[in-house]
Each structure stands twice: as structure tokens, then as C-alpha cells.
Amino acid sequence: FTFEMHHRFSETVKKWWPVKGSLQYYTQLANHDRLLHGRRLLTFSDGNSTFRISSLGFLHYTTVTLGTPGLKFLVALDTGSDLFWVPCECGRCASDIELSIYSLNGSSTSKKVTCSDSLCRNNCLSSNHCPYSVSYVSSETSTSGILVDDILHLRTDDNFVQARVIFGCGQEQTGSFLDVAAPNGLFGLGLEKVSVPSILSQEGFMADSFSMCFGSDGAGRISFGDKGSFDQEETPFNINPTYNISVDQIRVGTTVDSGFTALFDTGTSFTYLADLSYTKLSESFHSQVRDKRDPRIPFEYCYDMSPDENTSLIPSLSLTMSGGGQLAVNDPIIVISTQNQLMYCLAIVKSDALNIIGQNFMTGYRFVFDREKIILGWKKFDCYDIEKIDHFPSQPVNTPPAFAVVPGNDNAEK
């Protein structure tokens, strides 16, 4: 007997699934993976799958379920910001994409956050409802509305968990939130008390740590409570309200240059460097490339790929972190297909001020954001692997708490 064998992402298999790009499509992808992992960690109710979606800014997305009855949202995962928000009773929301809209009256467990709540940091005006407004570095990109308290549906290996979290009822979005990036909401994973990881650890649902895995095929994982493994590389976070790390050295091919400090940001697709770091790295890369340069915006260093791919010499790139940890960058270039040829570009964008390590530098690794030990851990990882890690408490305990956009639309929070 012979049988055809198809990958679950193949067109043959996907034709049996919901329409590609719909919320049901991504929900089906998440559900498909839900039973693959036995790590006793806390994940979303649809599982811990994430997906890089090129049509939505090259960011990693996952499906989350909010409220009663549960309503699904396709949210971007962003360590560069804190607030979790979804479109809600919008005056202005993304209009061209058929995705969920949260309704305060549509959930029987919904409560508006009052001005007296400890997480309300904005001045209340005419009402007692706590407003919020967040602006991002991306040009004229922002979200505003009111804070809401409702149930986020989670699960362990064998139990469903209903955790009350605070999030933004996003009544007005501007800029890239209307089309390119996070049209159905943004899941902030930052260090502030309003972030969902902070709330979950404060309430004793998990250890104050989480991991994100970025597969080369665009699929990944997010797991709450994951503190990594004993053999991972590590570097300390700088004392900062963001996941800021120090790079001691940059190695490009055979050259070594001095490092920089940078925000480690899953909410940014590509890596952004300010001068002099950008100039040193890009010129070192250019000096070792043999192919003809073909400048394209926004990537400054692009090259025509040789017809014989074996003759294209693409310099390796690695970072030495504070503490000595080595991060070999698996995906420093982006390949662009034109009608007549292939091109490749150094996928680093020149920044006016901020250094941001984006998702393209994270490919092929599981990164652990350990907020208790104040470290970033990483290890080369197949995101489909299963490791037995027992960091989720069997009973809740009171544990103290401790953006991709397309180039030019950086999504790190101000």
C-alpha cells in the first residue's frame, strides 16, 4: 500500500479548513495543536500556538478567548508594551477585516474598571470609568478607550482556567492598527502591573515567567509559567521598565564590533539599530558580500542573488550578550522575489534613536522572559518539541509579582 502524506499547512489539507485568513482558520490551527504538548504550563484555551502572519505585519499572533460567552480574538504578541487591548464598541476600528469586536453588554462577566482601582493611572473626567490611551512609536499609531475587567479563558494540560484580567476596551484605533498591524488587538507582555503575565502571577496562577518560541516555518509557541531549562544561555535584563538587554559584541563574518543596549521586542518584525551600531554592522556585512548591490527602501543593503546560490556568500551574524551568552542570528536576511530574480536584504532598519531587537533575530529559538530572576534565557529549539517542565503550581499560590510591523512602522511602545 502507498499513501500520500501531507503537512498540516499544505494546500491539500488546508482546502478542507475554513477560509484562509479568517478568524476561524487561525482558531482551527490553534485547536489542532492543543493536545501536542504535555508540559504542565498555562496556555490559552485554544492552546499555545502562535503564527507569523505576513499580511498583518510579520508579527506573531495567537487566538485568545474573552468574556462569557467566550469570544475569540486574533491578537499580536508584544513584549514591547504592557496593555492587552481588543477592539470594542469602536468609533474607529479596522473595517476591512472580518474579526471579532468586544461588547461590554455582550459579556455577562464584564465589569468596567473604576477610577479607584490601583491599575487605573489616568485621570477620570466626567465619569467614574477608567480611561486609557497608549501611543506607539509607529507613525500616528495609538489605541484609546476604557479599562475593563473580564474573564480570560486559559488551560493547563487537563483543566480549564477562568482568570479575571484587566484589558483595554479599544474604542478608537489609529495608524497601523487600522490595517497592517494588530487589527484585532494587541497582547502586551511587558513588566508593568497591568500586563496579563503580571496579573496571572500576582493571582498565583503561574510562576512569574513565560516563554515564546519562534519557528523557522512561522509557527511558534507561547507558554506561561515556563522558566526554561538548565542548559539555556542567559543574560540579565537592565534595570528598566522594559525588557532591555546589553549586547557586548557584534560579530559579522570575520569582523567584531562593539555592542549596544536594546529593547528585546516581539512586537517589532525586523531589527532596528541607531548609529553608530547600524553603520558598523551594515558596512561590515557589505564588505564581505560578493553579490551586486541593489539598494531598496526601507532595507538599505540589498543584493541580487547569484543564479548559482552556492556562490552567494552571506556573512554570519552573532551577538555576545552581557554575561557571555552567545546568540547566533539564524535569520539576518529577508529574501525578496521579483519577476526576474531573487534578492536578499540585510533585514535591519536604521533607527533615529532606539535599538530594538525584533522577531527576525529570534527565529529558531525559545526565549524565556524570567521576570522573577530578571533574566532573558534562550536555547535553539524546535517549536514542535515537547520538554517535561513542571513549573505550573498544582494549586494557586500567592506569588509576588516581579511589537512586526512593516519596516518604517515600528510598534514599540513609547
Side-chain angles (χ1 to χ4, degrees):
F1 297 94
T2 60
F3 302 92
E4 287 189 47
M5 204 164 84
H6 297 283
H7 190 272
R8 66 196 178 93
F9 290 123
S10 71
E11 293 303 321
T12 301
V13 173
K14 285 191 295 188
K15 70 183 181 182
W16 300 322
W17 290 25
V19 176
K20 184 175 181 179
S22 68
L23 181 58
Q24 292 76 17
Y25 172 82
Y26 295 112
T27 299
Q28 183 70 23
L29 281 177
N31 275 320
H32 209 65
D33 287 343
R34 191 172 66 190
L35 301 178
L36 293 180
H37 295 265
R39 298 175 59 191
R40 295 188 63 196
L41 302 175
L42 193 65
T43 64
F44 297 116
S45 58
D46 281 331
N48 60 355
S49 300
T50 67
F51 329 98
R52 184 176 64 231
I53 304 176
S54 58
S55 60
L56 297 180
F58 285 92
L59 296 174
H60 265 254
Y61 289 79
T62 193
T63 54
V64 302
T65 304
L66 272 176
T68 307
L71 189 63
K72 295 182 188 297
F73 295 85
L74 183 68
V75 295
L77 298 166
D78 184 12
T79 59
S81 61
D82 298 291
L83 185 67
F84 167 33
W85 63 265
V86 295
C88 166
E89 301 177 353
C90 299
R92 197 173 181 206
C93 289
S95 57
D96 296 334
I97 303 174
E98 294 184 7
L99 297 169
S100 301
I101 303 292
Y102 182 85
S103 170
L104 290 163
N105 295 328
S107 172
S108 62
T109 48
S110 173
K111 296 189 297 185
K112 294 179 181 178
V113 174
T114 64
C115 294
S116 60
D117 192 286
S118 60
L119 294 180
C120 182
R121 296 187 174 182
N122 296 315
N123 295 324
C124 293
L125 300 176
S126 58
S127 69
N128 190 37
H129 303 146
C130 180
Y132 83 89
S133 180
V134 181
S135 296
Y136 298 78
V137 173
S138 180
S139 178
E140 298 181 355
T141 296
S142 66
T143 176
S144 60
I146 62 173
L147 293 184
V148 174
D149 180 316
D150 207 343
I151 288 173
L152 176 65
H153 297 263
L154 304 164
R155 64 173 293 131
T156 61
D157 283 353
D158 49 10
N159 291 308
F160 285 95
V161 176
Q162 293 185 341
R164 296 205 72 95
V165 298
I166 288 177
F167 61 95
C169 164
Q171 296 167 328
E172 180 139 357
Q173 277 64 253
T174 65
S176 59
F177 289 151
L178 295 177
D179 47 27
V180 175
N184 203 214
L186 189 91
F187 199 91
L189 293 161
L191 287 161
E192 295 290 346
K193 292 182 179 180
V194 75
S195 76
V196 172
S198 297
I199 294 172
L200 294 178
S201 62
Q202 175 67 46
E203 295 300 318
F205 287 106
M206 67 174 205
D208 195 7
S209 183
F210 66 91
S211 68
M212 294 183 69
C213 189
F214 300 89
S216 58
D217 61 355
R221 298 284 180 264
I222 180 169
S223 297
F224 296 104
D226 187 0
K227 293 179 69 67
S229 54
F230 69 92
D231 57 345
Q232 67 186 9
E233 302 270 15
E234 294 181 350
T235 190
F237 289 122
N238 298 322
I239 303 301
N240 195 299
T242 61
Y243 299 114
N244 188 283
I245 53 95
S246 293
V247 178
D248 288 345
Q249 285 186 337
I250 314 167
R251 178 178 291 275
V252 182
T254 58
T255 64
V256 178
D257 290 311
S258 57
F260 50 84
T261 60
L263 176 67
F264 208 85
D265 182 16
T266 65
T268 304
S269 303
F270 304 103
T271 294
Y272 287 69
L273 293 179
D275 268 339
L276 294 169
S277 296
Y278 173 81
T279 297
K280 287 180 179 179
L281 193 157
S282 57
E283 289 184 352
S284 293
F285 184 89
H286 177 65
S287 68
Q288 299 176 64
V289 172
R290 297 173 181 169
D291 295 313
K292 180 182 177 182
R293 187 176 174 188
D294 186 357
R296 299 291 173 104
I297 297 174
F299 298 115
E300 185 177 2
Y301 289 87
C302 294
Y303 306 88
D304 296 328
M305 188 172 285
S306 169
D308 180 0
E309 293 183 8
N310 293 327
T311 65
S312 288
L313 176 63
I314 300 174
S316 62
L317 176 61
S318 65
L319 308 177
T320 301
M321 305 295 197
S322 175
Q326 300 288 321
L327 176 64
V329 179
N330 296 319
D331 204 11
I333 65 167
I334 185 170
V335 176
I336 301 172
S337 176
T338 65
Q339 286 185 342
N340 301 319
Q341 65 187 70
L342 290 176
M343 299 176 51
Y344 64 93
C345 302
L346 177 64
I348 299 175
V349 182
K350 188 174 183 179
S351 167
D352 291 334
L354 297 175
N355 294 320
I356 302 169
I357 294 179
Q359 282 189 14
N360 66 316
F361 274 32
M362 304 178 195
T363 300
Y365 291 92
R366 182 185 68 196
F367 286 93
V368 177
F369 297 80
D370 192 326
R371 298 138 55 94
E372 290 176 335
K373 293 173 64 178
I374 318 179
I375 60 165
L376 176 72
W378 66 95
K379 179 181 176 181
K380 284 189 176 182
F381 209 72
D382 179 347
C383 296
Y384 294 99
D385 277 351
I386 299 173
E387 280 192 349
K388 296 294 183 181
I389 302 174
D390 297 331
H391 288 296
F392 184 81
S394 56
Q395 298 293 331
V397 294
N398 291 321
T399 306
F403 251 90
V405 296
V406 293
N409 285 329
D410 173 41
N411 216 23
E413 185 175 359
K414 282 185 179 178

